């Protein structure tokens, strides 16, 4: 699958709706059409209505039905540009900037597009961390200055950081907004995020982690002591936490706790694919085609997770 790596290549590859449509079709059905209802392959293409009709169950489906782009009225070219900017801008792109760059009708449209893309990047439940995994908590959000820090700071959201410790680098990471540092809050994400048998979780001596071994998880707690030592015992968790804070500050002027998890998912996605930036456009497009429709009311409703 070819993917553009510069804006010039992007323009050459996607000059019109038809080129975007052909690309999406190849991304969604790399081996040819497959009916979303019965998985059948034989079909008729209804040219005028741009619908695929399954010859087995007769269901009609559009290219974007049941994907992140389900029911969109925004032209594909604008979606493609949004996905290109989203993939290329490491600091992400603000809804206001996207609205201006694409000439979108409203801020709401731009905001919705970006959040749908973010939601499509959330980690798949089957992707579990393994090996040596560092776990730590950090705080994000709240007042930009003058806020107190520590376990239980007001107006800030606690984020659980899980990251694989490789020999000379960090592996994959998972970030999860949690209400507090109790085992009730941390435990399900710790236990559910790792491959049990092959994984050891490394933490400091915070008591929210102590019940882990009682629940059958291999756990090594180290005495934290001062901040310098904290960095030493969990180096990769600290690196991820400080990268996250810099990214949130550089990108957004205040992420509401309600939507924080989506930003955490976006950050994690980028972090886990660092070094593969050139391929991100293709990856994001594929996620958009594999993802589920997310209506506006669900985007703005409950906190994610
Ligand atoms: Zn069918």
């Amino acid at each position: 699958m070819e993917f553009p790596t510069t804006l010039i290549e992007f323009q050459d590859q996607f000059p019109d709706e038809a080129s975007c449509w052909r690309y999406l079709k190849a991304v969604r059905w790399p081996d040819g059409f497959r009916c979303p209802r019965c998985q059948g392959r034989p079909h008729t293409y209804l040219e005028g209505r741009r619908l695929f009709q399954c010859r087995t169950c007769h269901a009609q489906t559009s290219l974007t039905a049941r994907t992140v782009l389900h029911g969109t009225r925004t032209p594909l070219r604008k979606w493609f540009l949004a996905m290109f900017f989203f993939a290329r801008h490491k600091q992400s792109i603000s809804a206001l900037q996207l609205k201006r760059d694409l000439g979108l009708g409203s801020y709401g449209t731009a905001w919705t597009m970006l959040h749908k893309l973010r939601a499509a990047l959330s980690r798949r439940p089957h992707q579990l961390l393994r090996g040596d995994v560092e776990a730590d908590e950090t705080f994000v959000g709240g007042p930009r200055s003058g806020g107190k820090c520590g376990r239980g700071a007001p107006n800030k959201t606690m984020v659980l950081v899980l990251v694989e410790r490789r020999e000379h680098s960090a592996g994959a990471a998972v970030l999860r907004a949690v209400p507090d540092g109790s085992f009730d809050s941390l435990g399900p994400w710790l236990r559910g995020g790792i491959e049990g048998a092959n994984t050891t979780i490394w933490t400091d001596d915070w008591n929210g982690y102590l019940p882990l071994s009682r629940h059958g998880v291999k756990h090594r707690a180290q005495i934290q002591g001062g901040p310098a030592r904290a960095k030493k015992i969990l180096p990769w968790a600290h690196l991820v936490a400080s990268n996250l804070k810099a990214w949130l500050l550089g990108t957004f002027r205040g992420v509401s706790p309600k939507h924080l998890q989506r930003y955490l998912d976006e950050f994690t996605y980028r972090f886990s694919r660092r070094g593969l930036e050139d391929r991100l456009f293709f990856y994001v497009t594929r996620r958009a085609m594999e993802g589920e429709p997310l209506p506006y009311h669900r985007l703005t409703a409950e906190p994610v997770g």
Side-chain angles (χ1 to χ4, degrees), residues 33-42 53-59:
F33 175 82
R34 197 177 263 276
C35 171
R37 193 204 264 174
C38 75
Q39 306 299 315
R41 287 196 180 280
Q53 180 159 29
C54 173
R55 284 199 212 148
T56 311
C57 75
H58 304 291

Side-chain angles (χ1 to χ4, degrees), residues 50-213:
R50 295 202 141 191
L51 291 174
F52 300 83
Q53 180 159 29
C54 173
R55 284 199 212 148
T56 311
C57 75
H58 304 291
Q60 293 185 347
T61 186
S62 74
L63 175 57
T64 53
R66 305 190 197 193
T67 73
V68 170
L69 273 58
H70 185 96
T72 185
R73 278 169 292 177
T74 304
L76 292 182
R77 275 186 90 196
K78 295 197 176 189
W79 268 107
F80 268 53
L81 261 175
M83 292 191 285
F84 187 72
F85 290 149
F86 187 84
R88 298 298 296 170
H89 294 208
K90 202 175 168 190
Q91 284 293 329
S92 203
I93 181 168
S94 73
L96 191 62
Q97 191 66 51
L98 190 71
K99 172 185 178 289
R100 285 188 190 139
D101 285 353
L102 299 191
L104 294 167
S106 73
Y107 176 82
T109 303
W111 186 93
T112 305
M113 288 169 83
L114 287 173
H115 273 271
K116 284 184 175 186
L117 292 177
R118 277 187 190 110
L121 300 186
S122 64
R123 195 172 176 81
R124 305 293 170 77
H126 63 267
Q127 295 172 313
L128 300 174
L129 303 184
R130 63 172 93 85
D132 289 310
V133 173
E134 295 181 8
D136 203 4
E137 331 85 72
T138 189
F139 283 93
V140 300
R144 294 190 69 181
S145 58
K148 279 202 301 181
C149 239
R151 277 164 167 142
N155 303 320
K156 288 184 177 281
T157 305
M158 184 182 275
V159 173
L160 172 66
V161 177
L162 286 174
V163 57
E164 291 172 345
R165 181 193 287 175
R166 303 261 168 88
E167 202 168 339
H168 297 293
S169 67
V174 168
L175 298 174
R176 197 71 221 177
V178 287
D180 55 61
S182 66
F183 183 72
D184 280 353
S185 298
L186 302 174
W189 300 111
L190 292 162
R191 294 164 66 200
I194 57 161
E195 257 187 38
N198 305 317
T199 306
T200 303
I201 294 187
W202 295 75
T203 67
D204 59 26
D205 50 356
W206 172 247
N207 58 28
Y209 296 115
L210 297 186
L212 271 175
S213 46

